[in-house]
Amino acid sequence: MINRVILIGRLVKDPELKYTSSGAAVGSFNLAVNRQFTNANGDREADFINCVIWRKSAENFANFTYKGSLVGIDGRLQTRNYENKQGQHIYVTEVVVDNFSLLEKRASDNSNTNQTQSGSNKTNKPADSVANNGQAIDIADDDLPF
């Protein structure tokens, strides 16, 4: 049997890094992946994929990526469920990341950078010359389905 997922997309927001009670780092993030076709209005839609990454890879991922980063990930699809505080069963499907690649250069000077709006410690963001035909992409948190 084969369970392999390879995705290239942009981070919807900065990755969230937490630690388990045993001290293992776990990062979670959502990846926006464009669909290969347009809808009836001619607009390109995207899928928003839940991802989780563990241990040292999680720490590295959180240190070197931020909202809008173009990344490639390799992992496996996993489903799990739990019961929330209201007693409802919640089902989650996510990609457990084994490997990742940063697919953009980091800016080396301030002439090609944007200031962060999230208040994180990552102050310089490279300008994106590829996405949206060279136009800036602005995704408000209200536009996201989660």
Side-chain angles (χ1 to χ4, degrees), residues 105-130:
K105 290 183 180 180
R106 290 191 68 104
S108 59
D109 64 345
N110 288 335
S111 63
N112 292 336
T113 60
N114 299 322
Q115 293 297 322
T116 182
Q117 297 176 5
S118 65
S120 69
N121 61 353
K122 303 165 192 147
T123 57
N124 293 327
K125 296 185 179 183
D128 183 17
S129 62
V130 177

Side-chain angles (χ1 to χ4, degrees), residues 19-25 54:
Y19 291 86
T20 65
S21 58
S22 63
W54 288 89

